[in-house]
PDB file of all heavy atoms in Angstrom:
ATOM      1  N   LEU C   1     -58.496  95.356   7.792  1.00 51.00           N
ATOM      2  CA  LEU C   1     -57.224  95.938   8.191  1.00 51.00           C
ATOM      3  C   LEU C   1     -56.681  95.191   9.401  1.00 51.00           C
ATOM      4  O   LEU C   1     -57.352  95.022  10.398  1.00 51.00           O
ATOM      5  CB  LEU C   1     -57.419  97.421   8.530  1.00 51.00           C
ATOM      6  CG  LEU C   1     -56.172  98.182   8.968  1.00 51.00           C
ATOM      7  CD1 LEU C   1     -55.169  98.236   7.833  1.00 51.00           C
ATOM      8  CD2 LEU C   1     -56.558  99.584   9.398  1.00 51.00           C
ATOM      9  N   ASN C   2     -55.459  94.730   9.294  1.00 58.00           N
ATOM     10  CA  ASN C   2     -54.819  94.024  10.391  1.00 58.00           C
ATOM     11  C   ASN C   2     -53.545  94.776  10.732  1.00 58.00           C
ATOM     12  O   ASN C   2     -52.492  94.527  10.172  1.00 58.00           O
ATOM     13  CB  ASN C   2     -54.516  92.580   9.983  1.00 58.00           C
ATOM     14  CG  ASN C   2     -53.975  91.777  11.139  1.00 58.00           C
ATOM     15  OD1 ASN C   2     -53.972  92.227  12.287  1.00 58.00           O
ATOM     16  ND2 ASN C   2     -53.514  90.584  10.853  1.00 58.00           N
ATOM     17  N   SER C   3     -53.662  95.717  11.654  1.00 64.00           N
ATOM     18  CA  SER C   3     -52.538  96.571  11.985  1.00 64.00           C
ATOM     19  C   SER C   3     -52.498  96.815  13.479  1.00 64.00           C
ATOM     20  O   SER C   3     -53.517  96.818  14.155  1.00 64.00           O
ATOM     21  CB  SER C   3     -52.691  97.898  11.244  1.00 64.00           C
ATOM     22  OG  SER C   3     -51.636  98.757  11.552  1.00 64.00           O
ATOM     23  N   SER C   4     -51.301  97.047  13.996  1.00 79.00           N
ATOM     24  CA  SER C   4     -51.157  97.335  15.418  1.00 79.00           C
ATOM     25  C   SER C   4     -51.286  98.822  15.710  1.00 79.00           C
ATOM     26  O   SER C   4     -51.635  99.213  16.800  1.00 79.00           O
ATOM     27  CB  SER C   4     -49.800  96.848  15.916  1.00 79.00           C
ATOM     28  OG  SER C   4     -49.729  95.456  15.828  1.00 79.00           O
ATOM     29  N   PHE C   5     -50.943  99.651  14.713  1.00 71.00           N
ATOM     30  CA  PHE C   5     -51.073 101.088  14.909  1.00 71.00           C
ATOM     31  C   PHE C   5     -51.311 101.767  13.563  1.00 71.00           C
ATOM     32  O   PHE C   5     -50.984 101.242  12.516  1.00 71.00           O
ATOM     33  CB  PHE C   5     -49.851 101.676  15.609  1.00 71.00           C
ATOM     34  CG  PHE C   5     -48.590 101.650  14.783  1.00 71.00           C
ATOM     35  CD1 PHE C   5     -48.199 102.769  14.079  1.00 71.00           C
ATOM     36  CD2 PHE C   5     -47.818 100.517  14.717  1.00 71.00           C
ATOM     37  CE1 PHE C   5     -47.054 102.748  13.310  1.00 71.00           C
ATOM     38  CE2 PHE C   5     -46.658 100.497  13.961  1.00 71.00           C
ATOM     39  CZ  PHE C   5     -46.277 101.607  13.245  1.00 71.00           C
ATOM     40  N   VAL C   6     -51.905 102.950  13.627  1.00 79.00           N
ATOM     41  CA  VAL C   6     -52.203 103.737  12.430  1.00 79.00           C
ATOM     42  C   VAL C   6     -51.823 105.177  12.717  1.00 79.00           C
ATOM     43  O   VAL C   6     -52.152 105.715  13.776  1.00 79.00           O
ATOM     44  CB  VAL C   6     -53.709 103.661  12.067  1.00 79.00           C
ATOM     45  CG1 VAL C   6     -54.028 104.562  10.890  1.00 79.00           C
ATOM     46  CG2 VAL C   6     -54.119 102.235  11.788  1.00 79.00           C
ATOM     47  N   LEU C   7     -51.126 105.805  11.781  1.00 78.00           N
ATOM     48  CA  LEU C   7     -50.762 107.212  11.900  1.00 78.00           C
ATOM     49  C   LEU C   7     -51.723 108.048  11.076  1.00 78.00           C
ATOM     50  O   LEU C   7     -52.085 107.661   9.970  1.00 78.00           O
ATOM     51  CB  LEU C   7     -49.341 107.449  11.368  1.00 78.00           C
ATOM     52  CG  LEU C   7     -48.239 106.614  11.991  1.00 78.00           C
ATOM     53  CD1 LEU C   7     -46.959 106.788  11.195  1.00 78.00           C
ATOM     54  CD2 LEU C   7     -48.025 107.016  13.426  1.00 78.00           C
ATOM     55  N   CYS C   8     -52.132 109.201  11.578  1.00 81.00           N
ATOM     56  CA  CYS C   8     -52.982 110.113  10.821  1.00 81.00           C
ATOM     57  C   CYS C   8     -52.290 111.467  10.749  1.00 81.00           C
ATOM     58  O   CYS C   8     -52.241 112.201  11.730  1.00 81.00           O
ATOM     59  CB  CYS C   8     -54.353 110.255  11.461  1.00 81.00           C
ATOM     60  SG  CYS C   8     -55.418 111.371  10.509  1.00 81.00           S
ATOM     61  N   PHE C   9     -51.731 111.765   9.573  1.00 77.00           N
ATOM     62  CA  PHE C   9     -51.051 113.034   9.368  1.00 77.00           C
ATOM     63  C   PHE C   9     -51.795 113.901   8.361  1.00 77.00           C
ATOM     64  O   PHE C   9     -51.206 114.710   7.669  1.00 77.00           O
ATOM     65  CB  PHE C   9     -49.611 112.801   8.897  1.00 77.00           C
ATOM     66  CG  PHE C   9     -48.730 112.227   9.965  1.00 77.00           C
ATOM     67  CD1 PHE C   9     -48.122 111.000   9.798  1.00 77.00           C
ATOM     68  CD2 PHE C   9     -48.513 112.907  11.148  1.00 77.00           C
ATOM     69  CE1 PHE C   9     -47.302 110.472  10.778  1.00 77.00           C
ATOM     70  CE2 PHE C   9     -47.707 112.385  12.145  1.00 77.00           C
ATOM     71  CZ  PHE C   9     -47.100 111.168  11.953  1.00 77.00           C
ATOM     72  N   THR C  10     -53.086 113.707   8.268  1.00 80.00           N
ATOM     73  CA  THR C  10     -53.906 114.567   7.424  1.00 80.00           C
ATOM     74  C   THR C  10     -54.828 115.372   8.323  1.00 80.00           C
ATOM     75  O   THR C  10     -55.079 114.993   9.460  1.00 80.00           O
ATOM     76  CB  THR C  10     -54.761 113.736   6.447  1.00 80.00           C
ATOM     77  OG1 THR C  10     -55.622 112.877   7.203  1.00 80.00           O
ATOM     78  CG2 THR C  10     -53.890 112.907   5.522  1.00 80.00           C
ATOM     79  N   GLY C  11     -55.310 116.471   7.828  1.00 83.00           N
ATOM     80  CA  GLY C  11     -56.219 117.294   8.624  1.00 83.00           C
ATOM     81  C   GLY C  11     -57.513 116.552   8.922  1.00 83.00           C
ATOM     82  O   GLY C  11     -58.081 115.913   8.049  1.00 83.00           O
ATOM     83  N   SER C  12     -57.938 116.585  10.147  1.00 92.00           N
ATOM     84  CA  SER C  12     -59.217 115.970  10.511  1.00 92.00           C
ATOM     85  C   SER C  12     -59.879 116.819  11.585  1.00 92.00           C
ATOM     86  O   SER C  12     -59.231 117.610  12.264  1.00 92.00           O
ATOM     87  CB  SER C  12     -59.030 114.534  11.006  1.00 92.00           C
ATOM     88  OG  SER C  12     -58.352 114.508  12.247  1.00 92.00           O
ATOM     89  N   LYS C  13     -61.162 116.647  11.704  1.00 94.00           N
ATOM     90  CA  LYS C  13     -61.948 117.356  12.711  1.00 94.00           C
ATOM     91  C   LYS C  13     -62.438 116.349  13.743  1.00 94.00           C
ATOM     92  O   LYS C  13     -62.360 115.139  13.559  1.00 94.00           O
ATOM     93  CB  LYS C  13     -63.152 118.044  12.055  1.00 94.00           C
ATOM     94  CG  LYS C  13     -62.806 119.014  10.937  1.00 94.00           C
ATOM     95  CD  LYS C  13     -62.347 120.315  11.498  1.00 94.00           C
ATOM     96  CE  LYS C  13     -62.443 121.424  10.506  1.00 94.00           C
ATOM     97  NZ  LYS C  13     -61.391 121.862   9.771  1.00 94.00           N
ATOM     98  N   GLU C  14     -62.955 116.854  14.851  1.00 95.00           N
ATOM     99  CA  GLU C  14     -63.428 115.979  15.931  1.00 95.00           C
ATOM    100  C   GLU C  14     -64.410 114.935  15.435  1.00 95.00           C
ATOM    101  O   GLU C  14     -64.355 113.781  15.839  1.00 95.00           O
ATOM    102  CB  GLU C  14     -64.059 116.818  17.048  1.00 95.00           C
ATOM    103  CG  GLU C  14     -63.066 117.636  17.826  1.00 95.00           C
ATOM    104  CD  GLU C  14     -63.697 118.398  18.980  1.00 95.00           C
ATOM    105  OE1 GLU C  14     -64.924 118.323  19.172  1.00 95.00           O
ATOM    106  OE2 GLU C  14     -62.946 119.066  19.697  1.00 95.00           O
ATOM    107  N   TRP C  15     -65.327 115.335  14.554  1.00 94.00           N
ATOM    108  CA  TRP C  15     -66.349 114.388  14.099  1.00 94.00           C
ATOM    109  C   TRP C  15     -65.757 113.291  13.219  1.00 94.00           C
ATOM    110  O   TRP C  15     -66.366 112.250  13.037  1.00 94.00           O
ATOM    111  CB  TRP C  15     -67.490 115.105  13.373  1.00 94.00           C
ATOM    112  CG  TRP C  15     -67.043 115.978  12.239  1.00 94.00           C
ATOM    113  CD1 TRP C  15     -66.669 115.582  10.985  1.00 94.00           C
ATOM    114  CD2 TRP C  15     -66.915 117.390  12.267  1.00 94.00           C
ATOM    115  NE1 TRP C  15     -66.306 116.653  10.227  1.00 94.00           N
ATOM    116  CE2 TRP C  15     -66.454 117.801  10.987  1.00 94.00           C
ATOM    117  CE3 TRP C  15     -67.133 118.378  13.225  1.00 94.00           C
ATOM    118  CZ2 TRP C  15     -66.216 119.119  10.654  1.00 94.00           C
ATOM    119  CZ3 TRP C  15     -66.903 119.695  12.875  1.00 94.00           C
ATOM    120  CH2 TRP C  15     -66.450 120.055  11.621  1.00 94.00           C
ATOM    121  N   ASP C  16     -64.563 113.512  12.673  1.00 93.00           N
ATOM    122  CA  ASP C  16     -63.915 112.485  11.864  1.00 93.00           C
ATOM    123  C   ASP C  16     -63.315 111.371  12.723  1.00 93.00           C
ATOM    124  O   ASP C  16     -63.156 110.243  12.259  1.00 93.00           O
ATOM    125  CB  ASP C  16     -62.783 113.096  11.028  1.00 93.00           C
ATOM    126  CG  ASP C  16     -63.272 114.118  10.020  1.00 93.00           C
ATOM    127  OD1 ASP C  16     -64.323 113.872   9.401  1.00 93.00           O
ATOM    128  OD2 ASP C  16     -62.599 115.152   9.862  1.00 93.00           O
ATOM    129  N   SER C  17     -62.948 111.701  13.947  1.00 93.00           N
ATOM    130  CA  SER C  17     -62.234 110.737  14.784  1.00 93.00           C
ATOM    131  C   SER C  17     -63.049 110.186  15.954  1.00 93.00           C
ATOM    132  O   SER C  17     -62.693 109.159  16.517  1.00 93.00           O
ATOM    133  CB  SER C  17     -60.964 111.385  15.353  1.00 93.00           C
ATOM    134  OG  SER C  17     -61.294 112.525  16.128  1.00 93.00           O
ATOM    135  N   ALA C  18     -64.134 110.835  16.323  1.00 96.00           N
ATOM    136  CA  ALA C  18     -64.852 110.493  17.565  1.00 96.00           C
ATOM    137  C   ALA C  18     -65.344 109.049  17.607  1.00 96.00           C
ATOM    138  O   ALA C  18     -65.111 108.343  18.593  1.00 96.00           O
ATOM    139  CB  ALA C  18     -66.012 111.454  17.782  1.00 96.00           C
ATOM    140  N   ALA C  19     -66.015 108.589  16.567  1.00 95.00           N
ATOM    141  CA  ALA C  19     -66.575 107.231  16.587  1.00 95.00           C
ATOM    142  C   ALA C  19     -65.470 106.179  16.663  1.00 95.00           C
ATOM    143  O   ALA C  19     -65.528 105.260  17.486  1.00 95.00           O
ATOM    144  CB  ALA C  19     -67.452 106.999  15.367  1.00 95.00           C
ATOM    145  N   GLY C  20     -64.452 106.321  15.815  1.00 93.00           N
ATOM    146  CA  GLY C  20     -63.349 105.372  15.838  1.00 93.00           C
ATOM    147  C   GLY C  20     -62.594 105.391  17.154  1.00 93.00           C
ATOM    148  O   GLY C  20     -62.166 104.350  17.651  1.00 93.00           O
ATOM    149  N   ASP C  21     -62.464 106.582  17.725  1.00 96.00           N
ATOM    150  CA  ASP C  21     -61.768 106.739  19.001  1.00 96.00           C
ATOM    151  C   ASP C  21     -62.470 105.951  20.104  1.00 96.00           C
ATOM    152  O   ASP C  21     -61.843 105.169  20.817  1.00 96.00           O
ATOM    153  CB  ASP C  21     -61.695 108.222  19.363  1.00 96.00           C
ATOM    154  CG  ASP C  21     -60.864 108.522  20.603  1.00 96.00           C
ATOM    155  OD1 ASP C  21     -60.298 107.593  21.213  1.00 96.00           O
ATOM    156  OD2 ASP C  21     -60.781 109.703  20.973  1.00 96.00           O
ATOM    157  N   ILE C  22     -63.774 106.098  20.235  1.00 96.00           N
ATOM    158  CA  ILE C  22     -64.486 105.409  21.321  1.00 96.00           C
ATOM    159  C   ILE C  22     -64.545 103.904  21.077  1.00 96.00           C
ATOM    160  O   ILE C  22     -64.423 103.114  22.019  1.00 96.00           O
ATOM    161  CB  ILE C  22     -65.890 106.003  21.567  1.00 96.00           C
ATOM    162  CG1 ILE C  22     -66.478 105.468  22.877  1.00 96.00           C
ATOM    163  CG2 ILE C  22     -66.832 105.734  20.423  1.00 96.00           C
ATOM    164  CD1 ILE C  22     -65.721 105.846  24.119  1.00 96.00           C
ATOM    165  N   ILE C  23     -64.687 103.496  19.828  1.00 95.00           N
ATOM    166  CA  ILE C  23     -64.707 102.057  19.534  1.00 95.00           C
ATOM    167  C   ILE C  23     -63.354 101.440  19.884  1.00 95.00           C
ATOM    168  O   ILE C  23     -63.285 100.392  20.533  1.00 95.00           O
ATOM    169  CB  ILE C  23     -65.061 101.785  18.055  1.00 95.00           C
ATOM    170  CG1 ILE C  23     -66.529 102.156  17.805  1.00 95.00           C
ATOM    171  CG2 ILE C  23     -64.772 100.340  17.668  1.00 95.00           C
ATOM    172  CD1 ILE C  23     -66.916 102.193  16.342  1.00 95.00           C
ATOM    173  N   LEU C  24     -62.274 102.096  19.470  1.00 94.00           N
ATOM    174  CA  LEU C  24     -60.943 101.583  19.781  1.00 94.00           C
ATOM    175  C   LEU C  24     -60.699 101.577  21.285  1.00 94.00           C
ATOM    176  O   LEU C  24     -60.191 100.603  21.840  1.00 94.00           O
ATOM    177  CB  LEU C  24     -59.877 102.422  19.069  1.00 94.00           C
ATOM    178  CG  LEU C  24     -58.448 101.909  19.155  1.00 94.00           C
ATOM    179  CD1 LEU C  24     -58.326 100.517  18.533  1.00 94.00           C
ATOM    180  CD2 LEU C  24     -57.502 102.878  18.477  1.00 94.00           C
ATOM    181  N   PHE C  25     -61.079 102.656  21.970  1.00 96.00           N
ATOM    182  CA  PHE C  25     -60.892 102.750  23.419  1.00 96.00           C
ATOM    183  C   PHE C  25     -61.652 101.647  24.153  1.00 96.00           C
ATOM    184  O   PHE C  25     -61.116 100.995  25.046  1.00 96.00           O
ATOM    185  CB  PHE C  25     -61.340 104.123  23.919  1.00 96.00           C
ATOM    186  CG  PHE C  25     -61.177 104.300  25.403  1.00 96.00           C
ATOM    187  CD1 PHE C  25     -59.924 104.500  25.956  1.00 96.00           C
ATOM    188  CD2 PHE C  25     -62.270 104.268  26.241  1.00 96.00           C
ATOM    189  CE1 PHE C  25     -59.765 104.658  27.326  1.00 96.00           C
ATOM    190  CE2 PHE C  25     -62.134 104.432  27.614  1.00 96.00           C
ATOM    191  CZ  PHE C  25     -60.872 104.624  28.154  1.00 96.00           C
ATOM    192  N   GLU C  26     -62.896 101.424  23.769  1.00 97.00           N
ATOM    193  CA  GLU C  26     -63.716 100.397  24.421  1.00 97.00           C
ATOM    194  C   GLU C  26     -63.190  98.989  24.159  1.00 97.00           C
ATOM    195  O   GLU C  26     -63.472  98.082  24.930  1.00 97.00           O
ATOM    196  CB  GLU C  26     -65.178 100.511  23.983  1.00 97.00           C
ATOM    197  CG  GLU C  26     -65.883 101.747  24.526  1.00 97.00           C
ATOM    198  CD  GLU C  26     -66.026 101.751  26.040  1.00 97.00           C
ATOM    199  OE1 GLU C  26     -66.300 100.688  26.625  1.00 97.00           O
ATOM    200  OE2 GLU C  26     -65.859 102.834  26.642  1.00 97.00           O
ATOM    201  N   SER C  27     -62.422  98.822  23.090  1.00 95.00           N
ATOM    202  CA  SER C  27     -61.868  97.497  22.800  1.00 95.00           C
ATOM    203  C   SER C  27     -60.450  97.342  23.359  1.00 95.00           C
ATOM    204  O   SER C  27     -59.788  96.334  23.102  1.00 95.00           O
ATOM    205  CB  SER C  27     -61.862  97.242  21.294  1.00 95.00           C
ATOM    206  OG  SER C  27     -60.952  98.101  20.644  1.00 95.00           O
ATOM    207  N   GLY C  28     -59.981  98.349  24.110  1.00 95.00           N
ATOM    208  CA  GLY C  28     -58.685  98.240  24.767  1.00 95.00           C
ATOM    209  C   GLY C  28     -57.553  98.989  24.099  1.00 95.00           C
ATOM    210  O   GLY C  28     -56.425  98.982  24.581  1.00 95.00           O
ATOM    211  N   GLY C  29     -57.829  99.638  22.980  1.00 95.00           N
ATOM    212  CA  GLY C  29     -56.813 100.418  22.283  1.00 95.00           C
ATOM    213  C   GLY C  29     -56.873 101.874  22.726  1.00 95.00           C
ATOM    214  O   GLY C  29     -57.598 102.232  23.646  1.00 95.00           O
ATOM    215  N   VAL C  30     -56.108 102.706  22.033  1.00 96.00           N
ATOM    216  CA  VAL C  30     -56.078 104.123  22.402  1.00 96.00           C
ATOM    217  C   VAL C  30     -55.665 104.955  21.190  1.00 96.00           C
ATOM    218  O   VAL C  30     -54.895 104.511  20.356  1.00 96.00           O
ATOM    219  CB  VAL C  30     -55.112 104.364  23.587  1.00 96.00           C
ATOM    220  CG1 VAL C  30     -53.676 104.083  23.215  1.00 96.00           C
ATOM    221  CG2 VAL C  30     -55.257 105.759  24.141  1.00 96.00           C
ATOM    222  N   VAL C  31     -56.241 106.154  21.102  1.00 95.00           N
ATOM    223  CA  VAL C  31     -55.851 107.135  20.095  1.00 95.00           C
ATOM    224  C   VAL C  31     -55.160 108.265  20.841  1.00 95.00           C
ATOM    225  O   VAL C  31     -55.741 108.856  21.747  1.00 95.00           O
ATOM    226  CB  VAL C  31     -57.063 107.675  19.304  1.00 95.00           C
ATOM    227  CG1 VAL C  31     -56.616 108.721  18.303  1.00 95.00           C
ATOM    228  CG2 VAL C  31     -57.806 106.544  18.604  1.00 95.00           C
ATOM    229  N   LEU C  32     -53.901 108.547  20.472  1.00 95.00           N
ATOM    230  CA  LEU C  32     -53.125 109.569  21.165  1.00 95.00           C
ATOM    231  C   LEU C  32     -52.802 110.734  20.238  1.00 95.00           C
ATOM    232  O   LEU C  32     -52.441 110.536  19.075  1.00 95.00           O
ATOM    233  CB  LEU C  32     -51.810 108.976  21.689  1.00 95.00           C
ATOM    234  CG  LEU C  32     -51.932 107.849  22.698  1.00 95.00           C
ATOM    235  CD1 LEU C  32     -50.545 107.329  23.068  1.00 95.00           C
ATOM    236  CD2 LEU C  32     -52.690 108.287  23.933  1.00 95.00           C
ATOM    237  N   ASP C  33     -52.925 111.930  20.785  1.00 94.00           N
ATOM    238  CA  ASP C  33     -52.538 113.154  20.091  1.00 94.00           C
ATOM    239  C   ASP C  33     -51.032 113.093  19.850  1.00 94.00           C
ATOM    240  O   ASP C  33     -50.257 112.782  20.761  1.00 94.00           O
ATOM    241  CB  ASP C  33     -52.910 114.343  20.980  1.00 94.00           C
ATOM    242  CG  ASP C  33     -52.589 115.675  20.365  1.00 94.00           C
ATOM    243  OD1 ASP C  33     -51.400 115.958  20.116  1.00 94.00           O
ATOM    244  OD2 ASP C  33     -53.531 116.462  20.168  1.00 94.00           O
ATOM    245  N   TYR C  34     -50.593 113.387  18.633  1.00 93.00           N
ATOM    246  CA  TYR C  34     -49.179 113.284  18.298  1.00 93.00           C
ATOM    247  C   TYR C  34     -48.329 114.294  19.066  1.00 93.00           C
ATOM    248  O   TYR C  34     -47.178 114.029  19.386  1.00 93.00           O
ATOM    249  CB  TYR C  34     -48.989 113.473  16.787  1.00 93.00           C
ATOM    250  CG  TYR C  34     -47.602 113.138  16.319  1.00 93.00           C
ATOM    251  CD1 TYR C  34     -47.240 111.820  16.096  1.00 93.00           C
ATOM    252  CD2 TYR C  34     -46.660 114.130  16.109  1.00 93.00           C
ATOM    253  CE1 TYR C  34     -45.958 111.488  15.675  1.00 93.00           C
ATOM    254  CE2 TYR C  34     -45.382 113.813  15.688  1.00 93.00           C
ATOM    255  CZ  TYR C  34     -45.033 112.501  15.472  1.00 93.00           C
ATOM    256  OH  TYR C  34     -43.767 112.182  15.063  1.00 93.00           O
ATOM    257  N   VAL C  35     -48.903 115.461  19.385  1.00 92.00           N
ATOM    258  CA  VAL C  35     -48.158 116.519  20.062  1.00 92.00           C
ATOM    259  C   VAL C  35     -48.109 116.298  21.575  1.00 92.00           C
ATOM    260  O   VAL C  35     -47.045 116.261  22.179  1.00 92.00           O
ATOM    261  CB  VAL C  35     -48.762 117.904  19.740  1.00 92.00           C
ATOM    262  CG1 VAL C  35     -48.073 118.996  20.526  1.00 92.00           C
ATOM    263  CG2 VAL C  35     -48.695 118.183  18.246  1.00 92.00           C
ATOM    264  N   SER C  36     -49.288 116.130  22.193  1.00 95.00           N
ATOM    265  CA  SER C  36     -49.362 116.031  23.655  1.00 95.00           C
ATOM    266  C   SER C  36     -49.132 114.614  24.175  1.00 95.00           C
ATOM    267  O   SER C  36     -48.854 114.425  25.353  1.00 95.00           O
ATOM    268  CB  SER C  36     -50.718 116.519  24.151  1.00 95.00           C
ATOM    269  OG  SER C  36     -51.739 115.596  23.796  1.00 95.00           O
ATOM    270  N   LYS C  37     -49.288 113.632  23.299  1.00 96.00           N
ATOM    271  CA  LYS C  37     -49.185 112.212  23.660  1.00 96.00           C
ATOM    272  C   LYS C  37     -50.257 111.784  24.671  1.00 96.00           C
ATOM    273  O   LYS C  37     -50.106 110.812  25.383  1.00 96.00           O
ATOM    274  CB  LYS C  37     -47.787 111.868  24.146  1.00 96.00           C
ATOM    275  CG  LYS C  37     -46.754 112.099  23.064  1.00 96.00           C
ATOM    276  CD  LYS C  37     -45.393 111.658  23.458  1.00 96.00           C
ATOM    277  CE  LYS C  37     -44.386 111.818  22.358  1.00 96.00           C
ATOM    278  NZ  LYS C  37     -44.313 113.095  21.696  1.00 96.00           N
ATOM    279  N   CYS C  38     -51.343 112.544  24.713  1.00 96.00           N
ATOM    280  CA  CYS C  38     -52.509 112.229  25.544  1.00 96.00           C
ATOM    281  C   CYS C  38     -53.646 111.804  24.625  1.00 96.00           C
ATOM    282  O   CYS C  38     -53.576 111.992  23.414  1.00 96.00           O
ATOM    283  CB  CYS C  38     -52.940 113.462  26.342  1.00 96.00           C
ATOM    284  SG  CYS C  38     -51.710 114.020  27.525  1.00 96.00           S
ATOM    285  N   ARG C  39     -54.686 111.247  25.212  1.00 96.00           N
ATOM    286  CA  ARG C  39     -55.868 110.900  24.410  1.00 96.00           C
ATOM    287  C   ARG C  39     -56.383 112.147  23.706  1.00 96.00           C
ATOM    288  O   ARG C  39     -56.210 113.264  24.206  1.00 96.00           O
ATOM    289  CB  ARG C  39     -56.971 110.322  25.295  1.00 96.00           C
ATOM    290  CG  ARG C  39     -56.615 108.918  25.767  1.00 96.00           C
ATOM    291  CD  ARG C  39     -57.793 108.176  26.353  1.00 96.00           C
ATOM    292  NE  ARG C  39     -58.822 107.992  25.333  1.00 96.00           N
ATOM    293  CZ  ARG C  39     -60.129 107.955  25.604  1.00 96.00           C
ATOM    294  NH1 ARG C  39     -60.572 108.094  26.819  1.00 96.00           N
ATOM    295  NH2 ARG C  39     -61.005 107.798  24.633  1.00 96.00           N
ATOM    296  N   LEU C  40     -57.001 111.967  22.559  1.00 94.00           N
ATOM    297  CA  LEU C  40     -57.556 113.106  21.834  1.00 94.00           C
ATOM    298  C   LEU C  40     -58.551 113.845  22.707  1.00 94.00           C
ATOM    299  O   LEU C  40     -59.330 113.228  23.434  1.00 94.00           O
ATOM    300  CB  LEU C  40     -58.270 112.652  20.562  1.00 94.00           C
ATOM    301  CG  LEU C  40     -57.420 112.185  19.399  1.00 94.00           C
ATOM    302  CD1 LEU C  40     -58.310 111.861  18.202  1.00 94.00           C
ATOM    303  CD2 LEU C  40     -56.379 113.210  19.012  1.00 94.00           C
ATOM    304  N   ALA C  41     -58.512 115.160  22.633  1.00 95.00           N
ATOM    305  CA  ALA C  41     -59.449 115.992  23.393  1.00 95.00           C
ATOM    306  C   ALA C  41     -60.627 116.350  22.487  1.00 95.00           C
ATOM    307  O   ALA C  41     -60.461 116.547  21.280  1.00 95.00           O
ATOM    308  CB  ALA C  41     -58.757 117.258  23.876  1.00 95.00           C
ATOM    309  N   TYR C  42     -61.807 116.446  23.080  1.00 96.00           N
ATOM    310  CA  TYR C  42     -63.007 116.821  22.345  1.00 96.00           C
ATOM    311  C   TYR C  42     -63.656 118.024  23.018  1.00 96.00           C
ATOM    312  O   TYR C  42     -63.330 118.366  24.147  1.00 96.00           O
ATOM    313  CB  TYR C  42     -63.979 115.625  22.277  1.00 96.00           C
ATOM    314  CG  TYR C  42     -63.422 114.503  21.429  1.00 96.00           C
ATOM    315  CD1 TYR C  42     -62.736 113.452  22.004  1.00 96.00           C
ATOM    316  CD2 TYR C  42     -63.544 114.535  20.054  1.00 96.00           C
ATOM    317  CE1 TYR C  42     -62.197 112.442  21.221  1.00 96.00           C
ATOM    318  CE2 TYR C  42     -63.005 113.534  19.257  1.00 96.00           C
ATOM    319  CZ  TYR C  42     -62.338 112.495  19.845  1.00 96.00           C
ATOM    320  OH  TYR C  42     -61.799 111.503  19.083  1.00 96.00           O
ATOM    321  N   ASN C  43     -64.573 118.658  22.296  1.00 95.00           N
ATOM    322  CA  ASN C  43     -65.257 119.867  22.759  1.00 95.00           C
ATOM    323  C   ASN C  43     -64.274 121.002  23.021  1.00 95.00           C
ATOM    324  O   ASN C  43     -64.405 121.763  23.962  1.00 95.00           O
ATOM    325  CB  ASN C  43     -66.109 119.592  24.008  1.00 95.00           C
ATOM    326  CG  ASN C  43     -67.178 118.567  23.733  1.00 95.00           C
ATOM    327  OD1 ASN C  43     -67.872 118.656  22.728  1.00 95.00           O
ATOM    328  ND2 ASN C  43     -67.285 117.578  24.598  1.00 95.00           N
ATOM    329  N   LYS C  44     -63.261 121.084  22.142  1.00 94.00           N
ATOM    330  CA  LYS C  44     -62.262 122.142  22.230  1.00 94.00           C
ATOM    331  C   LYS C  44     -62.791 123.391  21.523  1.00 94.00           C
ATOM    332  O   LYS C  44     -63.773 123.336  20.795  1.00 94.00           O
ATOM    333  CB  LYS C  44     -60.959 121.710  21.535  1.00 94.00           C
ATOM    334  CG  LYS C  44     -60.393 120.387  21.988  1.00 94.00           C
ATOM    335  CD  LYS C  44     -59.137 119.995  21.217  1.00 94.00           C
ATOM    336  CE  LYS C  44     -59.267 119.953  19.727  1.00 94.00           C
ATOM    337  NZ  LYS C  44     -59.949 118.829  19.151  1.00 94.00           N
TER     338      LYS C  44
END
C-alpha cells in the first residue's frame, strides 16, 4: 500500500487499531479520531 492517508469508517475496537497506531506513530505518522481530531484514545 502506497498511500498518504487512510480513512476508517467501519466499526472497530481498540485491539483492531492499537498495533497499527503505534507502528505508524513510531514511524512519524499519526492516527486521529475523526470526531475529536486528537490521537486515538485507549483504555476507555
Side-chain angles (χ1 to χ4, degrees):
L1 180 64
N2 186 9
S3 179
S4 295
F5 68 97
V6 176
L7 304 170
C8 181
F9 290 119
T10 60
S12 68
K13 303 281 200 262
E14 290 183 358
W15 54 78
D16 297 319
S17 59
D21 186 1
I22 192 63
I23 291 168
L24 187 60
F25 180 75
E26 290 295 321
S27 67
V30 66
V31 178
L32 299 177
D33 181 297
Y34 190 81
V35 175
S36 71
K37 298 185 177 50
C38 296
R39 288 194 63 212
L40 287 184
Y42 293 95
N43 299 313
K44 307 178 305 284

